[in-house]
Amino acid sequence: MENGGNGNEAPAWRFGAASPGLEAARAQSIRALVYRMYDCLDRGDARPVAPLAHGDPAAFACFSAAPPATDAVAAAAASGAHNTYAPAAGLAEACSAVAAHLSRELPYEVSPADVVLTAGCNHAIEIMMSVLASPGANVLLPRPGYPLYASRAALSGLEFRHFDLLPDREWEVDLAGVEALADENTVAIVIVNPNNPCGCVYSRDHLAKIAATARKLGIMVISDEVYDHFAFGSKPFVPMGVFGEVAPVVTLGGISKRWMVPGWRLGWIAATDPNGILRKKKIMESIIDYRAISVDPVTFVQGALPEILAKTEEAFFSEALGVVRQAAEICYEKLRGIECIACPHKPEGSMFVMAKLDLSRLDGIEDDVHFCSMLAREESVVICPGSGLGMKNWLRITFAVDPQLLEDGLERTKSFCQRHAKIKETHS
Ligand SMILES: *Cc1c(COP(=O)(O)O)cnc(C)c1O
């Protein structure tokens, strides 16, 4: 009721949405930009939409979840043993399972006490960008990167600075740039490996150099390894924690990508720090304190985690990786066939690739956002404009899509580019 109660006039409501942190975070949000591309779609087009903007392979039949994992979740739910709240760090047996899972590939044992379960890897990012937000502190983030780091840092008032990934050096970290960017208030550097959005995988040698740089600067490395083992090129995946002796490493991970179940919302934060520096500096304590006042991952998924990690067979991963490798191959070859798009580095990991637009070959297209909006409208292909990642006139494309639809989407992109190509000047 507008003027129910006793007064005739509506009161001057005192609330309004004006959180400065939220305003700053919104500016970094990539979802809003991708939604704008979806808004451009022509609903009259009978062709299926080719969704090449955001990675969610679980939407396609060719990427189904591992049966032992779905069995484990069903059994955990049916058992009735996981209907309670879980401890702030997560169920003890699930933390132990993650510690054992990570330790298999490290030269030391990760303690279960150094593992905190989160509601997906995004929650792990939220927690890290919140606990590090001491007054004046700053973190170093990759460009191009995964935009949630900047959004979350902005929301918690943590200053962020971008260092470059170098396209002509297989998207390696510009380490000289990192050193130039850091100052006495820098607390951490974030890397993503295998990398979203560049599709690169860092060599052991490059990771060693990142660790040495972090040590020199006295900062921790936050290593986002949600795509761990999603490496299908010549370089194997090496966990950053291997260099935990050199500089403290916080490893972020989860089951969303490798197990193809992002909807299950289960991730983790692990201190892969054999010298116990993060513990001494009370970082782990702060992480658990933050977790205690934040959301919990669903208890029965936590309860199923030991079985999910132990029972999923290698064949499941190699099969999924085979499909993604084939899709990456299709993506790269199709992009190479489009004149106005250049792909500096063939993808060898994750589910994404960055490609550069050559606007000089296109007629009447102003920038990447304009390109993607028109492509959505005319061809029902949705691609993420690089602007959303700080890379104007680049495109971020996911290939974790049904291969047939991927091929079709990139064919349509090619005809779009041909239709809008600048007519070559002929000399008479
Ligand atoms: C998908 C993704 C995440 C988020 O993972 P969830 O477990 O689904 O929250 C975090 N980091 C990167 C780089 C990602 O691509």
Side-chain angles (χ1 to χ4, degrees):
M1 271 196 293
E2 237 335 334
N3 51 2
N6 31 27
N8 305 330
E9 286 173 25
W13 302 114
R14 294 186 182 180
F15 48 83
S19 152
L22 187 58
E23 278 309 314
R26 204 178 268 147
Q28 303 296 328
S29 167
I30 197 171
R31 274 197 187 172
L33 185 59
V34 170
Y35 288 158
R36 263 171 63 199
M37 300 304 116
Y38 274 91
D39 285 342
C40 296
L41 290 171
D42 171 7
R43 306 287 169 183
D45 186 350
R47 297 174 295 178
V49 173
L52 312 184
H54 63 284
D56 189 358
F60 304 100
C62 61
F63 297 110
S64 51
T70 43
D71 289 350
V73 169
S79 74
H82 304 296
N83 294 341
T84 60
Y85 290 114
L91 284 182
E93 63 268 32
C95 292
S96 296
V98 172
H101 176 72
L102 296 173
S103 298
R104 286 188 315 181
E105 297 178 277
L106 297 172
Y108 53 87
E109 289 286 317
V110 176
S111 157
D114 282 334
V115 173
V116 174
L117 299 185
T118 60
C121 190
N122 280 344
H123 187 209
I125 295 170
E126 168 191 336
I127 294 172
M128 290 313 299
M129 294 300 105
S130 304
V131 301
L132 293 177
S134 57
N138 69 73
V139 289
L140 309 181
L141 306 179
R143 176 177 51 216
Y146 183 68
L148 190 70
Y149 285 93
S151 302
R152 275 291 165 184
L155 197 55
S156 55
L158 173 63
E159 183 190 339
F160 55 92
R161 302 176 178 182
H162 283 117
F163 59 88
D164 289 318
L165 303 182
L166 305 169
D168 45 5
R169 293 234 314 259
E170 303 192 343
W171 294 108
E172 283 188 348
V173 173
D174 174 12
L175 290 168
V178 166
E179 286 197 37
L181 207 56
D183 62 18
E184 68 281 4
N185 294 317
T186 304
V187 293
I189 176 173
V190 171
I191 62 163
V192 179
N193 182 46
N195 189 274
N196 169 10
C198 302
C200 60
V201 175
Y202 292 137
S203 66
R204 179 177 287 269
D205 182 51
H206 188 57
L207 295 176
K209 287 184 180 141
I210 293 171
T213 303
R215 183 181 183 86
K216 187 170 165 191
L217 299 171
I219 63 178
M220 72 172 81
V221 180
I222 298 173
S223 187
D224 183 329
E225 298 178 2
V226 76
Y227 290 103
D228 66 338
H229 293 278
F230 247 98
F232 41 82
S234 56
K235 295 188 211 92
F237 163 72
V238 177
M240 188 70 208
V242 164
F243 299 99
E245 291 266 13
V246 180
V249 175
V250 176
T251 299
L252 311 186
I255 60 172
S256 299
K257 307 293 162 65
R258 198 161 175 230
W259 275 264
M260 310 262 178
V261 288
W264 292 6
R265 310 312 302 133
L266 202 289
W268 53 75
I269 299 173
T272 41
D273 169 35
N275 299 328
I277 296 164
L278 297 165
R279 195 157 275 286
K280 259 175 253 157
K281 291 289 197 176
K282 303 210 185 301
I283 297 291
M284 293 313 292
E285 205 176 301
S286 298
I287 289 170
I288 294 174
D289 287 348
Y290 186 95
R291 250 294 262 114
I293 54 167
S294 173
V295 297
D296 292 335
V298 172
T299 310
F300 68 83
V301 180
Q302 296 188 42
L305 191 62
E307 285 221 358
I308 295 174
L309 297 182
K311 293 211 175 144
T312 309
E313 286 167 7
E314 204 40 53
F316 168 78
F317 299 123
S318 51
E319 197 172 312
L321 205 60
V323 179
V324 175
R325 177 188 289 115
Q326 183 210 354
E329 195 76 40
I330 293 171
C331 184
Y332 185 66
E333 287 308 320
K334 287 281 167 201
L335 289 175
R336 267 159 51 109
I338 303 177
E339 281 209 355
C340 63
I341 295 179
C343 188
H345 182 58
K346 186 174 178 177
E348 52 183 350
S350 87
M351 301 172 175
F352 294 91
V353 67
M354 291 293 290
K356 194 172 193 325
L357 264 184
D358 181 355
L359 290 173
S360 73
R361 290 171 181 270
L362 292 167
D363 200 22
I365 294 192
E366 289 152 27
D367 57 19
D368 56 330
V369 177
H370 191 206
F371 177 91
C372 293
S373 331
M374 289 194 30
L375 180 66
R377 184 159 57 240
E378 295 180 16
E379 298 287 350
S380 298
V381 176
V382 184
I383 289 179
C384 178
S387 292
L389 310 142
M391 299 286 280
K392 194 171 166 66
N393 297 336
W394 285 72
L395 306 171
R396 185 190 76 167
I397 298 167
T398 180
F399 43 81
V401 172
D402 176 80
Q404 194 61 51
L405 189 56
L406 174 69
E407 199 162 342
D408 186 32
L410 292 170
E411 270 305 320
R412 289 188 232 158
T413 306
K414 183 174 181 172
S415 27
F416 174 86
C417 291
Q418 284 168 343
R419 204 162 56 243
H420 294 280
K422 210 166 249 176
I423 312 291
K424 286 208 181 78
E425 285 175 29
T426 48
H427 301 278
S428 49

